[in-house]
Amino acid sequence: MSSKAPQDYYTGLTFRAYSDQSGNYLFSGGRYDHLMAHFQADSIPAVGFGIDVDQLTAVQQSKVQPTQRTYLYFDDRHWQLAEKS
């Protein structure tokens, strides 16, 4: 999805990536040719993105199905009976 630039140093395309499992975006970024001009005399062309690790983890955990477990209870007094089986 393309979106309006959130800060004035962005130039050109900005984007956000979503998942079907969440309404929040997982990562966002774009082209920001004027970012370095805020810190130094020269503008340097750049492109980049950031990842929302918390959101990415939440989406990944929602996909994980709980593992079915079988619990066995054992009494030492039944050891000989178990060995015979």
Side-chain angles (χ1 to χ4, degrees):
M1 172 179 159
S2 179
S3 61
K4 183 178 184 261
Q7 287 86 14
D8 65 344
Y9 54 78
Y10 279 95
T11 55
L13 181 72
T14 62
F15 60 88
R16 291 181 176 173
Y18 294 84
S19 166
D20 290 339
Q21 287 79 29
S22 173
N24 298 323
Y25 60 89
L26 303 177
F27 61 91
S28 65
R31 185 171 178 102
Y32 41 93
D33 292 345
H34 304 303
L35 175 63
M36 293 308 293
H38 290 272
F39 305 103
Q40 62 188 30
D42 298 330
S43 286
I44 300 172
V47 64
F49 68 93
I51 301 170
D52 186 338
V53 176
D54 292 333
Q55 187 63 34
L56 189 62
T57 302
V59 167
Q60 183 61 32
Q61 288 176 344
S62 71
K63 290 181 179 180
V64 175
Q65 298 296 321
T67 303
Q68 185 173 1
R69 297 181 179 170
T70 303
Y71 293 97
L72 301 174
Y73 297 94
F74 184 76
D75 186 338
D76 287 339
R77 295 175 294 165
H78 300 119
W79 185 255
Q80 288 179 352
L81 181 61
E83 285 181 327
K84 290 179 185 178
S85 299

